[in-house]
Amino acid sequence: MKKIEDHVSLTKVAPQHIEPLREFTLHKHQLAFTSLPIPAYEKCLLDQKRFPVAILEGDRPVGFFVLDQGADVWAYSKSTHAILLRAFSINLPYQGQGIAKASLQQLKPFVKTHLPHCREVVLGVNQNNPSAKKVYLGAGFIDTGKEKIGRSGPMAILKFFI
């Protein structure tokens, strides 16, 4: 039996991913911590510093996130080589299968290939979202011990070195 890691990959969002991303669902409480893919993707279309990423299981989009090189990254890191991971989500029917962890384990090679100037990935995870924090820490992110106030309260700032 193949492991989930063997089926999960990352790719830049392409036209064939839009409709499956539009059909995404999340638990109501998850929407306090992240965005549905399409609104986040639409921001990418308006801002060239945002890189939209589809998480695929086989060829089916089951997750999404944005790598943001814009000014918002300065609230998380003072490194000129940092990038902000935002709007990370896994479509509700695919949650709990290890897809989030498998996708984050591919972050380093993906960033090295597509954004070679980046040396660290930073993010904010809401303190009221311990399951997400556990996934990030399990994938190699470290807690910086710093906090930032987000739209839904205090967030721990995590980082991952490329």
Side-chain angles (χ1 to χ4, degrees):
M1 189 164 126
K2 290 188 175 185
K3 296 186 242 173
I4 192 71
E5 299 89 34
D6 298 335
H7 301 277
V8 175
S9 61
L10 303 178
T11 188
K12 184 172 184 180
V13 172
Q16 68 268 25
H17 303 138
I18 300 304
E19 198 53 41
L21 292 176
R22 194 176 308 283
E23 296 169 0
F24 244 62
T25 58
L26 295 171
H27 280 292
K28 184 178 178 180
H29 76 276
Q30 292 172 317
L31 292 172
F33 307 127
T34 191
S35 167
L36 286 168
I38 292 301
Y41 175 72
E42 288 171 346
K43 288 181 181 179
C44 294
L45 296 176
L46 301 173
D47 184 349
Q48 294 296 314
K49 294 185 183 239
R50 293 180 183 224
F51 190 98
V53 181
I55 301 167
L56 305 179
E57 182 184 34
D59 60 358
R60 177 185 12 203
V62 297
F64 175 85
F65 62 91
V66 173
L67 294 170
D68 185 353
Q69 302 172 85
D72 287 352
V73 75
W74 293 107
Y76 299 83
S77 174
K78 299 305 174 205
S79 171
T80 57
H81 299 288
I83 193 162
L84 177 61
L85 188 152
R86 60 191 326 156
F88 186 92
S89 64
I90 302 296
N91 196 356
L92 188 57
Y94 300 95
Q95 292 179 16
Q97 299 176 28
I99 292 170
K101 183 177 180 183
S103 67
L104 291 169
Q105 289 171 337
Q106 296 180 33
L107 192 57
K108 185 180 279 192
F110 185 83
V111 171
K112 280 184 176 183
T113 298
H114 296 279
L115 302 159
H117 63 283
C118 292
R119 299 288 175 260
E120 80 180 44
V121 178
V122 293
L123 62 86
V125 62
N126 192 286
Q127 297 290 25
N128 293 321
N129 195 357
S131 57
K133 186 174 183 181
K134 182 179 177 183
V135 169
Y136 291 125
L137 294 175
F141 279 82
I142 58 170
D143 191 331
T144 65
K146 298 177 183 173
E147 279 191 353
K148 176 186 180 325
I149 299 300
R151 65 183 168 104
S152 297
M155 299 186 302
I157 297 177
L158 309 183
K159 70 177 163 181
F160 179 83
F161 292 104
I162 300 299

